[in-house]
Amino acid sequence: MTLRLNLVIPVYNEEQYIGACLEAVVNQVRVPDEVIVVDNGSTDATRTVVDGFADRLPLTILSESRQGAMYARDTGFDAADGEVICRIDADTLLDPHWCERVEQYMESNPELDAIAGSQFFYELPWKGLQERQRRAALNTHMNTEPSVTDALSGNNMAIRKTAWEAAKPHLVGRPELHEDMDLSMALKKTKSLLWYAPRVFADVSARRFRSSRKELLQYGRTMMDTAVAHDDQELVNALKKNKYAIGLNFAILWALEQNYDPDTDRIVPFFLRKDKKVRVSPVTTR
């Protein structure tokens, strides 16, 4: 039996990225049965770019007026009618075998409820070095077997429709929380089986770290807020224990992105940049 795959992509003012994202979907060895793009109130040319793929993909475009990534995700997931819901972001660039591997894992392992894929950042300094590191990472990922995990990331994941329906009553469902963590912790309450599958590989932009320092700190706080909302003391303790390591990692990436011009692949002090590209965090009520 071949599973039906729905691919859900929430978008908000993504004219810069959504074209390349959908092009990578077109190039899949196994194309999704339906690509559901959920427009969360875009005011730029996002919709025009997406419409340009109508004759190349089995495309459905939905609108979600409630602002926030959680609402757009839920609208897309609820509309999906297949056995497996795949979920990526507008800046995700899928490996050509991504859908094929998702289908293989899900078909071969009926007990498996969801998959978290591996990823590599692009739009970081020193493209030559980054490409060498990417090739090394990809080689490692393709030779690594799946392992059990308890965390999904919305930029690279797949979940059975039945697991989504079982998890929904356990979602806290507040847009100011971390929607991926909320879903992961809801799945934990249903005792769902989640795998981290390195072969389900994608590239994702490091643009999150172009957010303002205030927004990035807010994003970091959403992780703790979500753990508290689920009353998961084990996770609360783990986040407290690792807060300095997490903060240092965020600080390094933030400093790099604030002073890096991806168009020229040069480090340019932020105050000298004419085109100051700023990232608006999706974990907000806009």
Side-chain angles (χ1 to χ4, degrees):
M1 181 183 71
T2 300
L3 298 177
R4 178 172 171 83
L5 305 184
N6 301 103
L7 177 63
V8 174
I9 313 174
V11 296
Y12 173 69
N13 288 349
E14 295 287 5
E15 63 179 3
Q16 180 182 352
Y17 289 93
I18 190 61
C21 172
L22 292 175
E23 193 68 43
V25 178
V26 169
N27 292 328
Q28 289 295 291
V29 171
R30 192 274 197 227
V31 177
D33 296 284
E34 183 181 27
V35 179
I36 302 174
V37 176
V38 185
D39 184 4
N40 198 203
S42 297
T43 57
D44 65 356
T46 294
R47 194 70 173 256
T48 301
V49 177
V50 173
D51 286 341
F53 285 83
D55 61 345
R56 303 174 66 195
L57 287 170
L59 191 63
T60 297
I61 304 175
L62 304 177
S63 295
E64 174 51 68
S65 59
R66 295 171 297 174
Q67 296 263 283
M70 179 197 75
Y71 295 123
R73 176 202 65 190
D74 291 357
T75 295
F77 278 24
D78 287 340
D81 61 1
E83 293 89 351
V84 178
I85 306 170
C86 305
R87 153 82 156 102
I88 61 174
D89 285 337
D91 65 321
T92 301
L93 302 176
L94 296 177
D95 178 86
H97 296 276
W98 193 92
C99 288
E100 178 185 51
R101 290 179 180 127
V102 165
E103 183 175 47
Q104 289 172 349
Y105 281 130
M106 289 296 196
E107 280 192 333
S108 302
N109 303 277
E111 76 284 3
L112 178 60
D113 293 299
I115 293 172
S118 61
Q119 59 192 38
F120 190 85
F121 280 135
Y122 65 91
E123 292 190 319
L124 282 173
W126 308 294
K127 291 180 179 178
L129 173 62
Q130 287 297 309
E131 181 55 32
R132 290 193 296 274
Q133 291 179 335
R134 180 190 181 276
R135 288 197 298 267
L138 184 58
N139 182 62
T140 299
H141 291 324
M142 292 306 107
N143 291 284
T144 303
E145 294 299 322
S147 58
V148 174
T149 185
D150 59 3
L152 299 175
S153 178
N155 55 19
N156 184 359
M157 61 163 282
I159 180 173
R160 290 191 194 272
K161 179 76 170 186
T162 52
W164 164 243
E165 294 294 345
K168 282 171 63 176
H170 300 280
L171 293 169
V172 175
R174 300 202 323 250
E176 75 274 13
L177 298 181
H178 195 301
E179 83 277 6
D180 298 338
M181 284 185 64
D182 190 16
L183 175 56
S184 299
M185 297 173 79
L187 288 166
K188 181 179 179 180
K189 291 176 179 177
T190 64
K191 301 188 184 305
S192 296
L193 176 62
L194 281 58
W195 276 4
Y196 168 61
R199 294 174 187 169
V200 181
F201 179 82
D203 294 286
V204 299
S205 172
R207 62 182 180 161
R208 176 178 302 286
F209 301 98
R210 287 200 291 272
S211 302
S212 68
R213 192 167 67 92
K214 180 181 178 181
E215 281 200 347
L216 196 58
L217 288 172
Q218 177 190 355
Y219 174 76
R221 284 194 296 270
T222 63
M223 294 189 288
M224 179 63 76
D225 292 343
T226 308
V228 171
H230 276 274
D231 195 25
D232 191 324
Q233 194 58 47
E234 181 181 0
L235 182 56
V236 168
N237 292 338
L239 289 171
K240 286 181 178 178
K241 181 180 179 180
N242 294 292
K243 67 178 181 179
Y244 294 112
I246 295 171
L248 178 61
N249 184 54
F250 273 31
I252 292 172
L253 287 169
W254 182 81
L256 285 172
E257 280 298 293
Q258 292 298 310
N259 296 285
Y260 174 62
D261 183 349
D263 295 330
T264 62
D265 192 31
R266 293 177 57 199
I267 298 293
V268 179
F270 190 71
F271 61 88
L272 294 178
R273 297 262 301 277
K274 294 181 179 179
D275 179 18
K276 297 184 179 182
K277 297 176 182 177
V278 178
R279 161 74 167 157
V280 176
S281 172
V283 189
T284 58
T285 303
R286 293 189 276 270

